[in-house]
Amino acid sequence: MTEQKVRWGILATGGIAATFTADLVDLPDAEVVAVASRSPEPAKAFAERFGIPRAYGDWESLARDEEVDVVYVATPHTAHRAAAGLMLEAGRNVLCEKPFTLNAREAGELVALARDNGRFLMEAMWMYCHPMVRRLKALVDDGAIGEVRSVQADFGLAGPFAASHRLRDPALGGGALLDLGVYPVSFTQLLLGEPSDVVARATLSEERVDLQTGALLSWDSGALASVHCSIVGGTATSASVTGSEGRIDIPYGFFFPDRFVLHRDGRDAEEFTADPADGPRNSLKHEASEVMRALRAGESESPLVPLDRTLAVMRTLDAIRDRVGVRYPGEVR
Ligand SMILES: NC(=O)c1ccc[n+]([C@@H]2O[C@H](COP(=O)([O-])OP(=O)(O)OC[C@H]3O[C@@H](n4cnc5c(N)ncnc54)[C@H](OP(=O)(O)O)[C@@H]3O)[C@@H](O)[C@H]2O)c1
């Protein structure tokens, strides 16, 4: 694999599958060789749209395709466990969309499968691979703002989303927390690790998914994080990280920033802006490149998106859901 292109398979043909495939097609070291859907027609249409040679009307055929190096799982969250598990059991490497699974139990099962089978597995938490987020993390690690004392982050969409939409459907793991709240929680845990305690409140829909959720996370160090997510209000979608010696503010789109501002105590503010060479701020190519780098290096997980952090984020999402009373139909925890 060191010399050759990395051969991708795409599992599911929805919105993010199309966005990701379009970004992959732009990468010279990537080749999309197969797509699988639950039925033949969508797979065929997707393959024609992106010039993909093999279209499968079932997941098993993709799992058996030895000419696929890595599968990108882009089903709704409720199917991540089954889809990624099937691929790992068949010996495929996997990049699986966020939230990684419905709950921490499912996440633990996938991680165990990957580790037992020696396969590569990564959550598609593209924020962790974003060049500007990596710059921010490096600044914080270098002590630019001293010891982190608090984080605030939010992600909210105005909608409105119909009750039939994936985001409102309990059978598809609907609600703001798993789809959007995973970003503020993951950002917070990038900087502070897993919290020791969680309190939360939510507004639930008639279908009993969370329309908006606010959570306060705490650490034994005394650090606190306030996270908010919504599918009924377009929030600022910004973040602020405060330390003992300063603060970093990230305006709209904190998980794919094109700028942020560092305020060091007693100094002028410093603005950091994206390198135009990195391409569009919302490109998914950075996570795809990280997968391919890791595969070429023979790594079974990415140091940028470590599985233990993914597991810790899933535990926090479970804890928040426990506090606000959201359980999905048939969910086993
Ligand atoms: N990284 C990001 O920026 C980002 C953005 C949006 C969404 N996401 C994540 O990506 C996942 C998919 O979101 P999306 O917006 O692409 O959803 P979507 O447009 O509804 O597409 C999901 C696809 O999954 C398949 N599918 C639908 N229902 C299914 C079911 N019950 N079981 C198995 N497969 C089913 C369908 O493809 P087939 O008909 O081909 O089977 C469908 O087109 C979610 O987990 C979401 O959180 C990530």
Side-chain angles (χ1 to χ4, degrees):
M1 193 179 291
T2 43
E3 302 296 325
Q4 299 156 343
K5 290 187 176 195
V6 171
R7 298 164 302 181
W8 287 81
I10 308 295
L11 196 158
T13 57
I16 198 63
T19 302
F20 183 77
T21 303
D23 286 344
L24 266 189
V25 167
D26 277 347
L27 290 175
D29 52 345
E31 190 177 6
V32 184
V33 297
V35 56
S37 175
R38 291 164 301 160
S39 51
E41 279 312 312
K44 196 162 159 274
F46 194 92
E48 276 167 12
R49 178 174 170 195
F50 292 103
I52 301 170
R54 297 190 289 285
Y56 299 122
D58 62 280
W59 297 353
E60 289 75 13
S61 301
L62 178 61
R64 280 194 302 269
D65 189 337
E66 298 284 340
E67 309 283 300
V68 167
D69 297 316
V70 56
V71 171
Y72 168 63
V73 172
T75 66
H77 344 315
T78 38
H80 288 179
R81 165 68 185 87
L86 180 69
M87 297 301 133
L88 291 167
E89 279 168 358
R92 307 276 80 77
N93 299 300
V94 171
L95 171 67
C96 181
E97 260 309 334
K98 45 56 59 176
F100 191 57
T101 47
L102 205 57
N103 55 42
R105 179 189 61 76
E106 291 185 352
E109 289 170 3
L110 284 186
V111 169
L113 261 180
R115 289 180 175 159
D116 291 350
N117 291 320
R119 296 293 101 186
F120 176 87
L121 175 63
M122 179 175 130
E123 178 191 10
M125 183 37 75
W126 60 296
M127 168 177 71
Y128 290 154
C129 303
H130 196 282
M132 288 294 280
V133 173
R134 293 178 66 178
R135 255 168 114 183
L136 180 147
K137 165 79 171 144
L139 278 169
V140 171
D141 286 350
D142 285 351
I145 57 170
E147 186 188 332
V148 177
R149 297 265 160 87
S150 68
V151 177
Q152 288 164 269
D154 68 278
F155 183 8
L157 297 175
F161 298 100
S164 57
H165 191 280
R166 174 176 75 71
L167 281 170
R168 293 271 305 271
D169 186 350
L172 295 180
L177 181 68
L178 291 195
D179 214 276
L180 310 182
V182 66
Y183 287 101
V185 169
S186 297
F187 179 74
T188 297
Q189 295 198 195
L190 172 70
L191 300 170
L192 283 165
E194 187 171 7
S196 52
D197 200 9
V198 171
V199 292
R201 288 285 185 276
T203 312
L204 304 188
S205 69
E206 279 176 21
E207 311 87 33
R208 293 199 69 77
V209 302
D210 63 305
L211 296 172
Q212 58 173 346
T213 295
L216 188 62
L217 317 180
S218 55
W219 284 258
D220 291 339
S221 66
L224 293 176
S226 160
V227 295
H228 180 79
C229 55
S230 175
I231 54 170
V232 289
T235 68
T237 306
S238 60
S240 186
V241 185
T242 304
S244 51
E245 295 164 30
R247 188 180 84 239
I248 298 175
D249 292 333
I250 322 170
Y252 168 79
F254 74 89
F255 52 91
F256 60 122
D258 59 0
R259 59 182 281 269
F260 60 79
V261 181
L262 168 63
H263 303 267
R264 296 188 211 239
D265 292 349
R267 294 208 225 166
D268 288 341
E270 294 167 64
E271 186 176 46
F272 292 75
T273 52
D275 181 345
D278 288 334
R281 65 184 292 189
N282 61 350
S283 174
L284 300 173
K285 71 176 181 178
H286 304 292
E287 73 174 349
S289 295
E290 172 59 8
V291 170
M292 296 193 289
R293 183 209 62 71
L295 289 175
R296 290 203 169 88
E299 295 169 9
S300 57
E301 71 181 278
S302 160
L304 289 184
V305 195
L307 290 169
D308 284 343
R309 193 192 298 135
T310 291
L311 290 171
V313 165
M314 289 310 309
R315 285 192 291 269
T316 302
L317 296 176
D318 279 3
I320 295 173
R321 282 205 292 127
D322 286 345
R323 306 297 184 272
V324 302
V326 171
R327 277 279 174 135
Y328 293 107
E331 182 182 2
V332 180
R333 290 269 288 274

